Amino acid sequence: MSAGAGGGMLPALALLLLLAAPVAARRHAPDLREDEPARRTTRPAECQFGKQAKELGSTWFADLGPPFGVMYCIKCECISVQKKRRVVAKVHCRNIKNECPEPSCDTPVLLPGRCCKTCPGDVDSPDIVQEDSPTVVITGGEEEELSMKHFGALLTGRSPLCIRRDDMTGVAVAPGVATARFTFRRRHLFWSVLLGPSIVTQPRSLAFLDRGGRMLLEHPLKRSPGIHATYEEKTDKLCGVWRRVPREYKRLLRDGSLYVALIWGDERNNSMDKALSGRINRYPALSTEMFTTLLEPEHPPASIGNGACDDYRTLGQEGGWWGGTAIVTGAAGAAPSLHLAIIYNGIFTLSARDQSVRVLLTLPERNQTIIDEIQKVPKPGYEMNILEVSTPVSAAELRSLSRGRLLLAVQEVGTVERRIVGPVRQKAACEVYHACLVAERAPASPAPEGLALIYIDKEGSLVYDIQVDNLGISDPKITLVEEQGKRHSQVEILDTRVGVLARPSARIFPPLYEDQLAVHIGADAGPPILRGRLLSRSLPDAAGLGPALLRRTDARTPTTLTPMAGLAWLSVDSLCGIQYEVVVTGATGAWSSWLETHSGSTRALGGAEGCVLEPAPAELAALQAGTAHLNVRAADNVTQLLRTRVPQISVPPSCLPTVPWTSDNELGAGYSPTHVEAPPPDNSLTNTASCYYAGRFYEDGAQWMSTESCQMCGCVHGVLRCDAVRCPRVTCATPTIQPPGQCCPICTNSTTAVWNESHGCHLAGQYHAPGSSWHPYLVPDGYDLCAVCTCDFATRQVRCPRVRCPPLRCAEKDAYRPDKKACCRVCPEEKIKKVEEETPKDQGAPRTAEEILAEGGCKFPDGPLPNGKEVHPSIHSHGEQRCVTCRCKDGEVTCVRKRCGRAACARRRRGDSCCACARHRRQRAPRPAPS
């Protein structure tokens, strides 16, 4: 029995029935594909059983919950399954009762937590060892620094990997050069990609593959609203993270057998038109990288990149564009120096054996040469070559380096036709730097607090955002200070709290990258009032609006104790998990973090960093609306120390299947604002995010109905949103009426009923008359037209069933939704045949593959199959498989193995050799009595 990686735990009784009779379960399983959500392009590299993540290769016993508990005879494991060219994780459970060995004694016993009866000394029982998968909640500790590993990749046309589609056809190699950086932190692999100037179209996805070209994980490259999109736009980087990398894939990473690829194609059907790949390796000096260079051919090839990758495996032909990348480290101080680690290929001709490489680092605007060095390469490699160069530099040259004015070139000595060049730019890794700002001494109440966020853009400028509260100074002095032990030296002065420092000093980069740069805030003279050290943080996917400042609550600690400050990062990944990281400075004892939604539900978050694998829909809706709160409590889990409202987070549409999702928070084109008197939202820390409507204030996240104008309104981050009431269609046996205070007609069998709030239904703070129907209203998305709620006239109970979609009259792949808020998919209209199409064709003429597929045919290794055709597949090494029958129906191929009944199995010698018969255990003869 197998369960998909994305599904939850099966009900206890259903799992027992499936294990008892798998054939019957499969025979009567209903087709659950009606109105299913869109397929996610991200394939998980782990299994999900219940609310626990299981790593590839792990085994465990099924825990069915009350009243069954742990079933020690049902052993589950997370296995990798290859689906065409992709590898996915899948749960496989089996009953091990029949695998129990024969006990070696006459009186075996059944020990607690065991399935098989054993005797003393038995070690071969299948239920002895249980390998639980590692927990996915990661707590802070000193092991973090030990788990930091750095890797790099050079993506060119000389990659040894040939990427193929599901039908085994090769994908064309994309022209251009790219480079990637990888940081392995705890169990997550953070990645960043720099595209060369010649790549003008952004790829649709990034994929990880093994040596055989099998796709292990595919990550869509869609910019999520918030700091993630802003960072990518300001730095020209592609950023993301592969969360919870399995041990099996970590071995591939360590052995140099893991590849990364950029894929171009149509997002709607996940096609692969072209790809650019490279091997992930350990490069020199990656841990100390400060600047990066991407090297492209100075004279790009014009005749490469037109065919599939198979065309490039012919000896003597080029495999696509060549190029390189350089890892640059600059050291300031009394004797500034520069170190370059250059990874490159393709600058040598095919006949080159022992050649020399010339490295040129120049300042073109001053016609100045900083490095001109020649190194000999004994045996040039086709895929990758590495060389290192070090030289002393002046402070002015180091300053030009930090401002992106230097140009690096690599060429074969005496040959300039294949020269590769590129400017030196900022570090390739996607990193931001944050700090909790705490008071230097015990201040008067209320205590000041704040946070700082800094990153470097593509121009080498310093982008900063500093938030403070209760500072008590109108014009504070903000200073960046290098802290080395007790020695503090000022590096830069920031004029404003939010801004861009266009020409930062070169001295700022070494302490920033080494976590030795701090932010000091205070008056012009005297010690700082607030300070905090900037720490590096890899930017994940979908990081919302950035960190949120954890402010003190009314139950604050006394000011005589160590001042506290904190910040929180929250995001929702593509698999609907809530990723969180809470940083607290100044806490003297244990603390815990909690997530609260506007509905009043509270969830404890395990540790300072981790993931909530299966959040409730209300939690995701609250994060999307910006109405959730995060608070830090003391060791008693009751006393609140710090609290913040989580900024609005963009939740992937596939995570909210019951809520129509829109990509922005703007009103529809037909909406005309009325009664809008609220000012623009204030982004300061003291913003209450309330809305003003018709003479009163409403809290953030509140919703209400205006019966005068029949509009439903909501407050989203201090912005008022109103939509006209959408009335569902009602079908009544009796005439409908519209009572006072109601905007929609209702069904009732009484015309003298009392219409007040004590005789009706209440949902989300709204009163609904008995017999009324309405669509649920969700902030900030508006009406959910796929559900209709009714208030039963007799019982006063609310029911909100989903709209049942009619069966489709076309293939699943052809159905579509006419608009974003449509509940059901529809079939495309049949095209009117042209006159030439109505002309009968020669029935004897063979049909083309395009015609077969257009009529509902299927792609098949042996050629396209017509719709309804049944064939026996063929395997190259084994010939035709007569026991397997494949059938094409509406573009999908289904293959089944022939099964036989008990009677056929009894006469198997005379019957069909394809029968799959179950084996029955023989009854062992009783042992003879001892004499």
Side-chain angles (χ1 to χ4, degrees), residues 157 172-173 304-314 317-320 382:
V173 178
I304 294 179
N306 300 322
C309 58
D310 285 344
D311 300 336
Y312 300 131
R313 295 299 175 262
T314 303
Q317 291 187 359
E318 285 291 352
Y382 178 84

Side-chain angles (χ1 to χ4, degrees), residues 380-715:
Y382 178 84
E383 177 189 355
M384 183 180 66
N385 300 277
I386 299 178
L387 62 87
E388 297 185 57
V389 178
S390 298
T391 182
V393 294
S394 65
E397 293 169 342
L398 198 60
R399 187 163 50 251
S400 300
L401 170 71
S402 63
R403 294 174 182 173
R405 298 176 179 175
L406 301 187
L407 187 70
L408 179 64
V410 180
Q411 67 181 66
E412 181 186 4
V413 173
T415 306
V416 297
E417 291 79 7
R418 304 178 69 86
R419 170 172 164 166
I420 53 178
V421 297
V424 180
R425 51 174 296 171
Q426 289 302 315
K427 188 176 181 180
C430 295
E431 288 183 339
V432 294
Y433 302 87
H434 62 199
C436 300
L437 303 180
V438 297
E440 279 288 88
R441 55 191 180 278
S445 180
E449 54 199 349
L451 64 82
L453 180 68
I454 291 177
Y455 66 88
I456 310 296
D457 66 6
K458 60 185 175 183
E459 306 295 337
S461 302
L462 189 73
V463 183
Y464 59 91
D465 181 6
I466 299 175
Q467 306 175 20
V468 294
D469 199 10
N470 303 326
L471 187 60
I473 303 177
S474 59
D475 189 15
K477 179 182 179 182
I478 305 175
T479 311
L480 299 181
V481 178
E482 181 181 1
E483 296 184 348
Q484 291 184 349
K486 296 182 179 180
R487 185 175 64 87
H488 294 180
S489 56
Q490 179 177 303
V491 179
E492 287 284 1
I493 297 177
L494 305 180
D495 297 330
T496 58
R497 297 185 184 181
V498 179
V500 178
L501 184 62
R503 298 168 62 90
S505 170
R507 292 178 52 202
I508 198 174
F509 297 105
L512 178 64
Y513 294 150
E514 296 173 4
D515 294 340
Q516 294 180 349
L517 193 67
V519 178
H520 287 197
I521 302 178
D524 291 335
I529 300 176
L530 288 175
R531 68 167 295 275
R533 179 168 293 193
L534 293 165
L535 300 177
S536 170
R537 184 187 193 275
S538 298
L539 186 71
D541 51 348
L545 298 179
L549 173 62
L550 289 167
R551 293 180 290 181
R552 290 174 177 80
T553 60
D554 294 335
R556 69 185 65 183
T557 58
T559 55
T560 55
L561 299 179
T562 303
M564 292 183 60
L567 56 86
W569 292 82
L570 277 91
S571 63
V572 179
D573 60 25
S574 57
L575 297 180
C576 308
I578 300 177
Q579 308 290 334
Y580 63 89
E581 179 181 353
V582 182
V583 180
V584 175
T585 302
T588 56
W591 55 271
S592 59
S593 54
W594 299 73
L595 181 65
E596 298 178 355
T597 59
H598 63 277
S599 59
S601 61
T602 303
R603 176 192 292 272
L605 303 178
E609 180 182 350
C611 173
V612 179
L613 283 179
E614 285 192 350
E619 293 174 328
L620 294 176
L623 290 174
Q624 187 186 34
T627 59
H629 289 79
L630 188 140
N631 64 74
V632 174
R633 302 181 185 179
D636 58 3
N637 290 334
V638 176
T639 305
Q640 288 192 6
L641 304 177
L642 304 172
R643 180 180 173 85
T644 185
R645 182 176 65 85
V646 181
Q648 185 178 11
I649 295 174
S650 176
V651 179
S654 58
C655 301
L656 297 171
T658 60
V659 180
W661 183 87
T662 55
S663 59
D664 52 31
N665 289 327
E666 300 296 328
L667 299 176
Y671 169 70
S672 58
T674 60
H675 302 90
V676 179
E677 304 175 22
D682 182 13
N683 292 326
S684 64
L685 298 176
T686 58
N687 179 28
T688 57
S690 60
C691 298
Y692 184 76
Y693 180 88
R696 60 172 295 189
F697 285 94
Y698 292 88
E699 294 182 356
D700 186 25
Q703 57 176 273
W704 64 95
M705 178 185 290
S706 173
T707 56
E708 294 81 6
S709 58
C710 279
Q711 286 185 330
M712 195 70 183
C713 300
C715 182

Side-chain angles (χ1 to χ4, degrees), residues 100-122:
C100 294
E102 181 69 20
S104 58
C105 61
D106 296 333
T107 58
V109 295
L110 182 62
L111 300 177
R114 302 285 292 275
C115 174
C116 306
K117 292 184 178 182
T118 58
C119 299
D122 289 350

Side-chain angles (χ1 to χ4, degrees), residues 790-812:
T790 58
C791 177
D792 189 85
F793 186 83
T795 63
R796 308 295 196 269
Q797 292 183 351
V798 177
R799 295 182 176 86
C800 298
R802 304 291 297 170
V803 174
R804 299 190 63 179
C805 297
L808 295 173
R809 299 181 178 273
C810 59
E812 293 279 344

